[in-house]
Amino acid sequence: MKNKLNAFSLFFLTGFLLAFSGRAQEKKTLFIILDGIQRELLLKNPTPHLDQVMAEGGYYPAHVGGMRGGYSETPTVSAVGYNSLLTGVWVNKHNVRGNSIRRPNYHYWTIFRHFKEDYPHKTTAVYSTWLDNRTKLVGENLEATGRLQLDYHFDGLEVDTLGIPHDEQSDYIREIDQQVAAYAAKDIREKGPDLTWVYLQHTDDMGHRYGASPQMDSAIQEADRQVGLIWSAIREREKNYGEDWLLLITTDHGRGEGGFHHGGQTDEERATWIVSNKALNEIASQTPGIVDLFPTMAHHMHLSIPKNQAMEVDGVSLLGEAHASHLSGSLSGKDLSLKWESYGNGKTGRVWVTPTNQFRYGNSDLYRLLGEVRLEEESANFDLQVVPNNLKVVLEIPSGFINVWVKQTD
């Protein structure tokens, strides 16, 4: 009888653990943008809270700026970088060319819109020191974004000049960052939004005012403490509710000589970084772009991106099995040559092309299948039989799509 009871107890305990394990797989994602922190200063400064996140996942040099000198070259400007992260595409597609955010192309959906399309009853949140992130980039309640609604937000303090008086030293932005981080941590601990964006600005202000300086160092260390508030809340959620959180922390641009300004295409202005609480795949060792964070989050959250939209995404997931990345191509007469980076898994892909770009207007492009390729060969050549002026080329891989635009070299 004792053995039977022990067996029953073991069975019951196993069932309970399995049930809890299933609950543990509830996916949550939070990404933080710490504005304008160049790599060398991040690594130079003591950042114990970021170090804790890195210890669970890693630190990865990354980049912004698109294809330098090419069709997707993207200004290393704040709002431009934010939108490249949100949409997974470079400026030639999302059309946010500066901080004024004049004419975003909302046909390239943000991660928030895709998430709400798939999971209308799950919750989203933005906690930000800049109101435009929610109202213009995410585009809350705009007709062009399908009247997208967020569930929680905390922002707009920077326009409250009575409640938070502005000062020339930008101390008010430091205070707003602190309030934003504290509010975000409280909401995360109590409400656990499923998809969350936190944006903190003070580091960028210090860079513009003082360059690489003690003031910038102090701002980085303060940003680390604010990250610590949020990381602590995530750890509590994981412990108390068994949730599976992906935390991605990055910056939107580097800085030029002296650490003051940005916007151009120097190596220093393009150089960024990613910190993750999960180990990323082999592609992350190839200096990933900010556009790679969109498909990474989509992978973690199991989003089903429609094919015509997925074929436009410029990034590739840094989670899961790596198949191919860094697609490039050239077009000479009827000859199309393609190259890519392969990760040696013996898989095949398919090449699609279209001479049109109707997607940017909200329409569909008609793609033609050129053929199948072995990804391990890392190159392919095709005779198009006609001479197009330019092509959108998409390489379909087991984990999704990668794309490149090519034009005649003659």
Side-chain angles (χ1 to χ4, degrees):
M1 184 68 176
K2 182 177 179 181
N3 290 338
K4 288 183 179 180
L5 285 174
N6 286 345
F8 177 79
S9 299
L10 180 62
F11 176 81
F12 180 82
L13 179 60
T14 301
F16 176 80
L17 290 175
L18 285 173
F20 186 81
S21 175
R23 178 181 164 197
Q25 295 308 302
E26 185 176 1
K27 304 290 186 179
K28 307 271 186 177
T29 295
L30 188 150
F31 62 98
I32 302 174
I33 296 178
L34 304 178
D35 201 319
I37 301 177
Q38 57 267 57
R39 279 185 211 160
E40 62 272 18
L41 291 189
L42 183 77
L43 297 175
K44 163 194 165 186
N45 275 278
T47 53
H49 302 289
L50 283 165
D51 291 347
Q52 290 176 17
V53 180
M54 293 179 206
E56 294 203 3
Y59 163 87
Y60 306 88
H63 78 278
V64 296
M67 182 187 295
R68 182 159 43 196
Y71 67 91
S72 66
E73 182 174 289
T74 297
T76 54
V77 173
S78 293
V80 186
Y82 312 160
N83 214 42
S84 291
L85 188 158
L86 289 171
T87 60
V89 302
W90 297 114
V91 71
N92 59 300
K93 296 179 181 179
H94 67 61
N95 203 44
V96 172
R97 301 181 178 276
N99 289 336
S100 58
I101 316 176
R102 289 196 178 94
R103 291 184 297 275
N105 189 336
Y106 293 116
H107 296 307
Y108 301 91
W109 288 15
T110 66
I111 190 71
F112 286 98
R113 189 170 180 188
H114 280 292
F115 184 76
K116 275 296 190 181
E117 186 73 13
D118 267 14
Y119 303 114
H121 301 300
K122 291 191 176 185
T123 55
T124 54
V126 170
Y127 308 100
S128 172
T129 302
W130 199 35
L131 180 63
D132 286 356
N133 286 339
R134 174 172 60 87
T135 58
K136 293 184 178 181
L137 294 182
V138 175
E140 185 176 35
N141 201 35
L142 298 181
E143 183 178 354
T145 64
R147 299 295 179 187
L148 172 68
Q149 296 291 324
L150 298 172
D151 297 280
Y152 312 114
H153 69 267
F154 184 77
D155 55 14
L157 296 183
E158 78 279 11
V159 300
D160 180 10
T161 56
L162 293 178
I164 303 181
H166 292 198
D167 63 285
E168 293 184 0
Q169 289 72 39
S170 198
D171 282 342
Y172 76 101
I173 293 293
R174 180 181 57 80
E175 171 60 25
I176 292 173
D177 276 4
Q178 183 60 32
Q179 290 194 40
V180 167
Y183 196 101
K186 181 176 183 293
D187 260 13
I188 291 158
R189 185 176 289 107
E190 296 176 357
K191 301 173 182 175
D194 296 290
L195 175 62
T196 302
W197 177 14
V198 176
Y199 165 73
L200 304 175
Q201 177 182 320
H202 189 241
T203 45
D204 190 56
D205 283 18
M206 293 300 96
H208 283 297
R209 290 174 182 274
Y210 303 106
S213 61
Q215 292 89 338
M216 183 62 163
D217 291 342
S218 177
I220 291 170
Q221 293 167 36
E222 181 64 26
D224 177 70
R225 287 189 286 272
Q226 291 158 0
V227 167
L229 295 176
I230 296 164
W231 177 234
S232 177
I234 288 174
R235 295 301 300 271
E236 284 189 34
R237 294 288 309 190
E238 290 180 326
K239 177 181 178 181
N240 295 334
Y241 298 96
E243 296 161 347
D244 181 10
W245 283 78
L246 170 65
L247 174 60
L248 296 169
I249 309 167
T250 190
T251 194
D252 50 329
H253 53 74
R255 312 197 82 91
E257 185 177 356
F260 287 94
H261 302 302
H262 55 89
Q265 291 291 317
T266 64
D267 289 345
E268 292 77 13
E269 290 165 294
R270 290 170 57 89
T272 61
W273 46 269
I274 296 168
V275 169
S276 171
N277 71 324
K278 295 185 181 294
L280 304 181
N281 63 27
E282 301 98 307
I283 300 171
S285 67
Q286 305 294 319
T287 315
I290 198 168
V291 293
D292 294 321
L293 296 183
F294 170 103
T296 302
M297 293 186 288
H299 178 99
H300 178 72
M301 304 296 284
H302 300 306
L303 298 188
S304 54
I305 310 293
K307 182 177 179 179
N308 68 322
Q309 294 173 312
M311 292 173 87
E312 294 287 336
V313 173
D314 292 325
V316 62
S317 177
L318 305 178
L319 290 173
E321 186 177 3
H323 296 101
S325 66
H326 296 83
L327 180 65
S328 63
S330 62
L331 185 62
S332 179
K334 297 184 295 182
D335 298 323
L336 172 64
S337 297
L338 299 175
K339 294 182 179 180
W340 58 87
E341 185 81 19
S342 174
Y343 298 91
N345 44 34
K347 300 295 177 64
T348 61
R350 297 195 296 174
V351 176
W352 301 85
V353 297
T354 180
T356 65
N357 186 27
Q358 290 300 308
F359 186 92
R360 69 183 300 178
Y361 304 111
N363 302 316
S364 298
D365 292 296
L366 182 62
Y367 281 89
R368 177 164 67 99
L369 177 63
L370 290 186
E372 192 171 272
V373 297
R374 290 182 57 82
L375 295 179
E376 287 181 342
E377 294 179 356
E378 297 192 317
S379 66
N381 296 286
F382 296 93
D383 181 354
L384 300 175
Q385 300 181 350
V386 295
V387 181
N389 290 326
N390 51 63
L391 288 173
K392 282 200 295 186
V393 181
V394 176
L395 176 58
E396 182 179 357
I397 57 179
S399 56
F401 304 88
I402 50 178
N403 73 81
V404 68
W405 291 9
V406 294
K407 63 180 181 179
Q408 287 288 347
T409 56
D410 298 338

